[in-house]
Amino acid sequence: VVLGKEGELVRLESSYERVESVSNEPSLSVTQARLRAEASVASQSAGRGADLKSEGGRAVLWVSRDNPQSQAQGLFAFEFYVQGRQVLVDAANGTIVRQSDLRRN
């Protein structure tokens, strides 16, 4: 999704992937995952850990490929938004799968 200066939709892209396998089994609670997401952002925001605000916590299936010729692999994760950053947390072990800064300069 690409938004314009006024928040209008500029471009929407989507694709369908056949997922051959899912590599993990969820074991973390959404609360545990939220703490991991907040800790990840706090470690990059010196001195701001106490006032972090997070939203979300929906379960997602993150799909990726090692290369264009490989089969798509799935990973159960939780998606959060913390201080303008999208954070995906592995639902099995709590590692940060992806973190993306959504704020514009």
Side-chain angles (χ1 to χ4, degrees):
V1 173
V2 177
L3 301 176
K5 291 182 181 180
E6 302 296 320
E8 74 277 11
L9 181 64
V10 174
R11 186 173 71 230
L12 174 66
E13 296 177 11
S14 180
S15 63
Y16 169 81
E17 291 285 344
R18 178 183 169 135
V19 177
E20 297 296 325
S21 66
V22 177
S23 63
N24 67 346
E25 285 292 325
S27 61
L28 287 181
S29 70
V30 68
T31 301
Q32 292 169 313
R34 182 182 308 278
L35 291 173
R36 299 282 178 101
E38 291 173 352
S40 173
V41 172
S43 70
Q44 298 172 10
S45 305
R48 300 201 56 205
D51 63 349
L52 287 180
K53 293 181 176 60
S54 61
E55 297 177 353
R58 73 181 179 137
V60 298
L61 182 63
W62 177 253
V63 178
S64 64
R65 293 176 179 270
D66 292 333
N67 62 62
Q69 289 77 32
S70 67
Q71 296 178 337
Q73 301 294 312
L75 180 80
F76 288 114
F78 290 105
E79 179 183 43
F80 297 95
Y81 294 90
V82 185
Q83 298 299 108
R85 295 175 180 92
Q86 177 193 39
V87 184
L88 294 175
V89 179
D90 185 309
N93 61 25
T95 59
I96 304 303
V97 175
R98 181 174 193 264
Q99 184 169 320
S100 179
D101 194 340
L102 303 176
R103 299 170 293 179
R104 293 187 184 247
N105 295 332

